[in-house]
Amino acid sequence: MNRYSWRTGTLEGVMIVIALIFMIPVYVLINLSVRQQSDLSSPLAPTANPTLDNFGAAWAQSGLGQAMVNSALITVISVGLLVVLGAACAYGLARATARWSPPAFYLFMIGLLVPFQLGLVPLYRNFAAMGLLGTVVPLVIIYVGLRLPFTLFLYTTFLRQIPAEYEEAASIDGAGTFARFRRVVFPLLRPITGTVIILNGLFVWNDFLTPLLYLSGSVNRTVPLAVYSFVNENTTVWPLVFSALIISVIPVLLAFFVFQKTLIQGFASGVKG
Amino acid sequence: MQWNRKFTIGGAAIAAVGLLMTGCAAPDSGGGATDDGTFLKIDWLANEKAGMDAVVAAFQEANPDIQVVVTTADTAQYQASIRTQLGTGTAADVFYVWPGDGNTAAIRQLDSGDFLTDLSDEAFVSQYPDFIKDLVSIDDKAYIMAPLATAFTPVYNQDALEETGLTPPETWSDVLPFCEAAAKAGKVAYALAGNNLYAGQAPYYNLVADLVYGSGTDFDQQLLDGDTTFPENDGYVEATEKYQEMIDGGCFQPNSTGTPYDESNRMVATGEALGQFLIGTRIAALQAVAPDGDFRIYPFHSDDDESTNAVTLSTQGGAAIYAKSPRQETAKKFVQFLADNIELYQAAMPGTIPTITAGYTPADENEQFLVDTIDAGQAVHYLNQAWPNARIESAMVNGIQGLLVGSASPTQMLESMQKEFDTK
Amino acid sequence: MTSPAIAPATDPSPSTAARPRTESVHRRNARRTGSRYLWLFIVPAAAFYVFVVLIPSMQGVFFSFTDWNGLSADWSFVGIDNFVRLFEDPVSIKAIGNTFLYAILSTVFENLFGLLVALALHSRIKSRNVLRVLFFMPVVLLSVVIAYLWQYLFQVNNGAITQLLHAIGLADANPNWLGDPNLVVFSISVIVIWQFTGYTMVIYLAGLQGVPQEQLEAAAIDGAGPVQRFWYVVRPLLAPAITVNIMLSLIRGFMIFDQIWVTTGGGPADTSHSLSTLVYRTAFQFGELGRGTAIAVVLAVIVGILGFIQYRGLLRGGAK
């Protein structure tokens, strides 16, 4: 059973075929990105005279470099805050036995169900009234608030699996609440923290609607905005558009390839709850 | 244990520092809250970016002290964000607005909040043709420096026409025969990018122009006064029925609602289709697919009566000044500069002509056609520029898609438009 | 147990009237958990959440009873007019049906495919790491651009998908993927399913990490076929992953926006709208914020009810 049998070989063959079919859209994406703009042949036919010029042009015209810096900054700060605040909050919620604890938890979970568009405009006006617009600060605040329910959901389900004995041992050693959280609980949360980072990171990196409203009229564009406006400025010039898209996902894909094992293990500990 | 502590503290520190940094960075609010003549922010439409870039470059050269920041968004996103920004005092100093009515960023819909600076005293206003002046004004106060005008017309692939030996129809009685002849030659008469919600309105605008507005624009007031309705107006009924006849007569390719613009452009560029109804600004995209192609506008009329000839030709929009901006003088300086340098803007936007045509020499036959139309007094505003809400246009374009897929009749389409007109 | 007054989460010192009893509860909790400062852990996060989600959403609910246009300073109450209009409008009725269809189709197939792929890649095949990345790849692409890509692939007449149909022998097939009112919802669902199969796959793979090989082997020796092995050995262990995945898929499905907006804009003839696209169109394109938020409220209520049902299922699943 532990050997690579003919069954495994068949499975491998089948899966490779399925993956190839699954990858057809990506093939078209890459195939068109290396194509001359005036080449109107079938999107499935391999490009006759491939060129990398589109990538150069896309990079030069789209402002993706600056956008990547902006997006990276926003993503790192938002996700960092989410991890710290989310883990702390989940700890509080999971360990508190007071009557307010379950209702508080449900109140947070409501956030999973509310469509963001409901509060989109009121929130914008609130920020305006506070004079916080025109920077990326509102974006960071929004992402933290918006993704907290999901983060808490992951953290609390995970925390409830961790026996309180670990902490009790530490408390006998005389550690205070904060020290216990920092030294005992947070390290125990590491596997699920990986999941929290990746899922929230993906969300923030890819989010389109929020920066659209909050950064519209700003020069601080994020990657989705840069790609999107590049698409609009070059409608139907697919080779350029697809080149820009490929450039925009390279960092994320690299990260996934490198971290996939950690990611899956993180998920594993996250969804056992 | 050690590592984890560092990790926690380090993470928190990075987050805190980062937040401070971004807070301090805040570069785009630059220039301060007063007008010291060194800064100007412009929010523009993505598909007119080329024109704006050209003018801004010249403006910067002439005024090296003024830092100009231009941001762009596509139409739907732009309309969504500009209202919120106007309402909260965060809009750019100079921003794109639409003339007349019909969408949420048109001046008549922005009128309620005193958001727009009155430009009536600027020199360019008196140079506008009358119908443009009407569109950019409310109660005789002008609000827009609208640089371009363009039309909805059919555009043909000249080589494909010559290959088939067909002549484009200029009056209604030639239309259906033309479609039949094209089909016989193995061609589609008109490619239609019906997958795009708004593509179907181009043929419709051509059909409505003669039949509703051929003898004047009285219809608009009658509609507003309740003296007529879309389903009761003979012109609208006839135009919509003729659209149905064109669909039934095979003038458009089958399955047109699944065709996006790049496919319809490819069809015309390769000669699979002889032509396509377009707004002038889209000719450039067609030309980009076939740089050597010869794409020409021909007149198209929905009746056989020459005295009612009309063409839907208007301005799409232009620059307004945010009344709450502190930089009024700099903004006015720029807007006047734009008016003085329309030709720079226009040159970057093929398929259009300047709204102020004095001294302008058309670059090609297509532009000549547009100029002739204005000179002949045949220009008619875009339909929705007279409509009091954006839902009517939505009902129209979805109704047209209904005609194309066979789920709506001309009467149903006009009734749904009227329903949206009647609903506050 | 007596029922003491409930102290608000942010208030460490309850009102005088309730003090004696509440304090005793606090002390008891404190003894059990070793801390009375737990609320301090919650407050910072709660502040963000309240400011970003709760308050604006409540403001949104408030505006759903008004005729506010999102722009002017004045507005008036219109009672439940916005909701009445919503349920009288055939377009929004259609959109409600579509929203359910999008959610159900995407949930079923994302999970079915994701699970099958995960099972296959939780094996000894050599290319599993590369294949995992390939299946996950769509998840990291921007929704908006995935939508553009598929709009391109779905072109009628000679789009890539239609060409593939021709290549496998269906020479006459020419489905109007995005232009046929009867097909468009399914075509858009295909996009979503393609995009998120990798997402569910990763969560299932994670769940499978907990399935011991020995157990599977033992079942195989007992003569259980693959289906039985899955049903009796794998499925119970995967229950949490299944619940989480279904919940996430459903929420995503109900909120679907980008894929519709880019490929059809809700067309042809208003047949592909979801509630989210209607919210956007009404609030922003029509400038009718009151009516738009009313649609968002309806969406929130639908998702809320389903979320509640799901969450109870989750609790039950977790209790096992």
Side-chain angles (χ1 to χ4, degrees):
Chain A
M1 202 79 184
N2 284 337
R3 273 168 286 117
Y4 188 95
S5 63
W6 65 269
R7 277 162 178 267
T8 326
T10 317
L11 181 65
E12 176 134 32
V14 170
M15 285 316 289
I16 289 175
V17 171
I18 292 176
L20 288 179
I21 296 172
F22 189 79
M23 282 290 106
I24 287 172
V26 177
Y27 162 74
V28 171
L29 184 79
I30 296 169
N31 192 28
L32 286 194
S33 72
V34 296
R35 192 168 271 194
Q36 315 276 353
Q37 285 168 26
S38 52
D39 184 345
L40 293 180
S41 54
S42 157
L44 293 172
T47 298
N49 300 304
T51 166
L52 290 177
D53 294 352
N54 296 318
F55 286 90
W59 177 259
Q61 293 168 29
S62 62
L64 267 172
Q66 183 58 42
M68 279 184 185
V69 173
N70 291 337
S71 276
L73 197 66
I74 294 171
T75 309
V76 167
I77 299 168
S78 310
V79 173
L81 280 170
L82 271 169
V83 166
V84 174
L85 296 178
C89 183
Y91 175 70
L93 287 172
R95 290 293 177 261
T97 45
R99 287 290 171 123
W100 51 257
S101 168
F105 180 69
Y106 289 122
L107 199 61
F108 275 113
M109 289 307 105
I110 288 175
L112 280 178
L113 312 173
V114 177
F116 184 47
Q117 287 145 324
L118 185 57
L120 195 61
V121 171
L123 181 59
Y124 186 89
R125 296 175 74 90
N126 297 349
F127 273 119
M130 296 163 68
L132 276 175
L133 290 178
T135 68
V136 297
V137 173
L139 282 186
V140 170
I141 295 176
I142 289 172
Y143 288 133
V144 174
L146 206 57
R147 296 300 287 179
L148 259 174
F150 183 65
T151 308
L152 285 178
F153 172 74
L154 291 179
Y155 270 133
T156 31
T157 31
F158 185 82
L159 258 173
R160 290 194 169 135
Q161 311 299 308
I162 300 180
E165 281 85 50
Y166 288 110
E167 295 158 58
E168 277 162 21
S171 92
I172 292 165
D173 291 346
T177 315
F178 295 96
R180 246 182 303 146
F181 171 70
R182 212 179 61 216
R183 286 201 227 134
V184 182
V185 180
F186 196 71
L188 284 171
L189 288 175
R190 247 179 75 197
I192 189 71
T193 299
T195 312
V196 167
I197 290 177
I198 295 195
L199 292 187
N200 285 326
L202 267 180
F203 178 90
V204 175
W205 182 271
N206 280 352
D207 183 44
F208 174 62
L209 193 60
T210 329
L212 186 72
L213 185 58
Y214 284 81
L215 293 182
S216 175
S218 160
V219 287
N220 280 328
R221 287 196 298 194
T222 60
V223 169
L225 276 193
V227 169
Y228 188 70
S229 54
F230 191 69
V231 171
N232 278 299
E233 285 155 24
N234 298 280
T235 345
T236 74
V237 191
W238 296 113
L240 268 186
V241 169
F242 290 166
S243 308
L245 174 63
I246 291 173
I247 297 172
S248 75
V249 297
I250 286 174
V252 190
L253 270 188
L254 278 180
F256 178 72
F257 194 77
V258 173
F259 292 118
Q260 63 148 326
K261 210 161 184 180
T262 334
L263 170 67
I264 288 170
Q265 276 164 358
F267 270 123
S269 39
V271 295
K272 275 184 197 159
Chain B
M1 204 61 84
Q2 198 81 48
W3 181 87
N4 283 308
R5 190 151 146 207
K6 270 190 200 146
F7 178 78
T8 320
I9 298 168
I14 291 175
V17 170
L19 202 59
L20 280 174
M21 269 170 48
T22 50
C24 298
D28 58 27
S29 59
T34 53
D35 191 6
D36 53 6
T38 61
F39 185 79
L40 188 70
K41 202 172 144 199
I42 300 171
D43 205 1
W44 212 241
L45 213 54
N47 49 24
E48 295 199 16
K49 184 172 185 288
M52 186 42 94
D53 283 349
V55 172
V56 167
F59 183 73
Q60 297 254 249
E61 205 164 298
N63 300 281
D65 299 341
I66 304 179
Q67 185 202 354
V68 183
V69 175
V70 182
T71 57
T72 56
D74 86 301
T75 309
Q77 321 306 337
Y78 184 86
Q79 289 176 352
S81 56
I82 193 68
R83 280 172 76 87
T84 317
Q85 291 171 351
L86 288 171
T88 50
T90 52
D93 308 311
V94 173
F95 63 101
Y96 193 97
V97 289
W98 280 258
D101 212 326
N103 82 62
T104 54
I107 50 172
R108 284 176 199 277
Q109 302 225 352
L110 297 176
D111 190 28
S112 58
D114 297 329
F115 299 118
L116 307 168
T117 300
D118 182 2
L119 301 175
S120 307
D121 297 336
E122 302 297 314
F124 61 83
V125 175
S126 56
Q127 295 171 278
Y128 278 138
D130 284 345
F131 79 104
I132 301 238
K133 199 168 165 182
D134 286 347
L135 282 171
V136 302
S137 306
I138 307 172
D139 300 335
D140 290 332
K141 284 184 184 164
Y143 292 105
I144 315 179
M145 193 313 97
L148 301 181
T150 191
F152 286 90
T153 62
V155 178
Y156 297 87
N157 180 335
Q158 188 65 27
D159 300 332
L161 284 178
E162 278 161 19
E163 181 199 322
T164 53
L166 294 173
T167 322
E170 300 197 2
T171 58
W172 175 252
S173 40
D174 293 337
V175 172
L176 295 175
F178 174 76
C179 296
E180 262 171 54
K184 266 193 201 127
K187 307 276 185 187
V188 172
Y190 299 104
L192 179 62
N195 175 238
N196 182 294
L197 214 46
Y198 296 94
Q201 71 184 356
Y204 196 55
Y205 276 27
N206 275 273
L207 291 166
V208 169
D210 283 35
L211 295 170
V212 177
Y213 293 105
S215 43
T217 53
D218 305 340
F219 172 80
D220 294 336
Q221 199 54 47
Q222 288 171 4
L223 183 69
L224 290 173
D225 294 344
D227 294 339
T228 186
T229 65
F230 290 112
E232 284 170 4
N233 178 272
D234 292 340
Y236 262 101
V237 171
E238 193 179 338
T240 317
E241 280 169 355
K242 281 182 170 167
Y243 205 146
Q244 184 71 59
E245 283 177 49
M246 285 182 75
I247 295 168
D248 297 342
C251 291
F252 309 108
Q253 83 278 18
N255 287 332
S256 56
T257 48
T259 307
Y261 268 116
D262 48 340
E263 171 67 2
S264 68
N265 285 345
R266 191 199 59 79
M267 290 172 74
V268 178
T270 56
E272 272 174 45
L274 299 179
Q276 165 169 224
F277 287 88
L278 287 176
I279 185 163
T281 45
R282 282 196 178 270
I283 298 176
L286 191 55
Q287 197 78 59
V289 185
D292 301 328
D294 181 3
F295 301 105
R296 277 190 220 166
I297 296 176
Y298 283 82
F300 179 97
H301 294 293
S302 50
D303 57 20
D304 297 341
D305 180 356
E306 238 179 75
S307 68
T308 62
N309 280 0
V311 174
T312 315
L313 188 159
S314 182
T315 179
Q316 277 192 296
I321 297 177
Y322 187 30
K324 294 180 178 165
S325 154
R327 293 178 275 272
Q328 295 293 318
E329 287 313 310
T330 316
K332 276 187 183 163
K333 191 170 173 181
F334 178 80
V335 166
Q336 187 58 52
F337 187 88
L338 171 62
D340 294 340
N341 294 276
I342 289 188
E343 71 280 4
L344 283 179
Y345 195 98
Q346 190 272 335
M349 301 286 299
T352 65
I353 53 167
T355 44
I356 298 167
T357 47
Y360 170 69
T361 321
D364 59 24
E365 293 174 15
N366 291 343
E367 293 185 13
Q368 186 66 54
F369 172 82
L370 300 178
V371 172
D372 293 346
T373 302
I374 289 200
D375 291 348
Q378 293 180 350
V380 170
H381 61 75
Y382 303 149
L383 301 187
N384 68 327
Q385 288 177 337
W387 293 342
N389 66 57
R391 282 178 275 116
I392 306 168
E393 185 190 27
S394 176
M396 174 183 73
V397 295
N398 280 291
I400 291 171
Q401 284 189 328
L403 298 182
L404 290 168
V405 298
S407 69
S409 69
T411 318
Q412 285 169 327
M413 170 178 153
L414 292 171
E415 279 168 355
S416 70
M417 287 164 68
Q418 187 62 35
K419 190 178 145 224
E420 299 301 348
F421 180 89
D422 292 337
T423 314
K424 191 182 77 82
Chain C
M1 244 214 186
T2 51
S3 61
I6 298 167
T10 50
D11 184 5
S13 59
S15 66
T16 28
R19 178 159 285 175
R21 272 169 143 187
T22 321
E23 254 191 46
S24 75
V25 172
H26 264 282
R27 209 166 290 152
R28 222 170 35 237
N29 291 341
R31 211 177 307 128
R32 201 177 298 156
T33 60
S35 171
R36 60 174 71 191
Y37 299 115
L38 281 171
W39 62 271
L40 269 178
F41 285 82
I42 297 171
V43 169
F48 276 91
Y49 176 67
V50 168
F51 178 74
V52 173
V53 178
L54 285 190
I55 293 178
S57 301
M58 286 190 289
Q59 287 171 303
V61 172
F62 175 83
F63 283 121
S64 71
F65 295 99
T66 71
D67 63 355
W68 190 40
N69 67 7
L71 184 67
S72 64
D74 54 328
W75 43 264
S76 49
F77 278 108
V78 295
I80 58 164
D81 279 11
N82 292 330
F83 295 93
V84 172
R85 243 175 101 184
L86 170 83
F87 287 106
E88 281 173 359
D89 180 3
V91 174
S92 36
I93 297 298
K94 173 86 179 160
I96 292 175
N98 284 348
T99 307
F100 275 92
L101 202 52
Y102 285 124
I104 292 167
L105 283 174
S106 60
T107 303
V108 168
F109 288 101
E110 277 170 23
N111 282 281
L112 185 64
F113 295 152
L115 181 59
L116 289 175
V117 173
L119 287 171
L121 296 185
H122 182 64
S123 63
R124 278 165 220 298
I125 65 175
K126 289 183 174 128
S127 51
R128 61 176 183 271
N129 285 345
V130 174
L131 291 181
R132 284 172 186 180
V133 173
L134 291 185
F135 280 104
F136 190 74
M137 198 186 285
V139 177
V140 304
L141 301 179
L142 301 173
S143 287
V144 173
V145 188
I146 286 185
Y148 277 113
L149 174 61
W150 276 90
Q151 185 192 34
Y152 183 85
L153 297 174
F154 269 144
Q155 280 179 18
V156 78
N157 300 337
N158 63 352
I161 308 273
T162 303
Q163 286 188 21
L164 281 175
L165 289 186
H166 296 172
I168 59 170
L170 299 164
D172 294 333
N174 187 16
N176 192 358
W177 299 108
L178 295 171
D180 182 339
N182 300 315
L183 199 56
V184 61
V185 172
F186 297 92
S187 304
I188 292 175
S189 299
V190 168
I191 306 177
V192 183
I193 294 163
W194 181 79
Q195 193 177 351
F196 287 104
T197 289
Y199 198 98
T200 57
M201 171 201 76
V202 172
I203 294 180
Y204 283 126
L205 274 176
L208 284 169
Q209 305 282 305
V211 180
Q213 288 285 333
E214 307 88 66
Q215 227 166 317
L216 286 175
E217 282 167 30
I221 290 161
D222 289 347
V227 175
Q228 285 161 311
R229 258 180 293 162
F230 172 76
W231 193 255
Y232 293 108
V233 184
V234 180
R235 187 191 55 89
L237 289 161
L238 268 186
I242 294 174
T243 328
V244 167
N245 258 335
I246 289 181
M247 186 177 82
L248 293 178
S249 299
L250 270 179
I251 291 177
R252 262 199 314 268
F254 273 103
M255 309 275 183
I256 177 171
F257 175 81
D258 296 345
Q259 295 86 352
I260 304 170
W261 195 250
V262 171
T263 54
T264 66
D270 281 332
T271 50
S272 66
H273 276 293
S274 70
L275 285 173
S276 278
T277 58
L278 267 197
V279 172
Y280 190 84
R281 184 173 85 164
T282 311
F284 296 116
Q285 291 203 302
F286 296 169
E288 298 172 328
L289 216 96
R291 220 155 65 76
T293 45
I295 302 173
V297 168
V298 170
L299 176 59
V301 169
I302 292 176
V303 179
I305 292 171
L306 284 159
F308 180 72
I309 296 170
Q310 252 276 302
Y311 191 77
R312 286 180 58 121
L314 186 72
L315 283 185
R316 214 172 297 139
K320 269 186 203 160

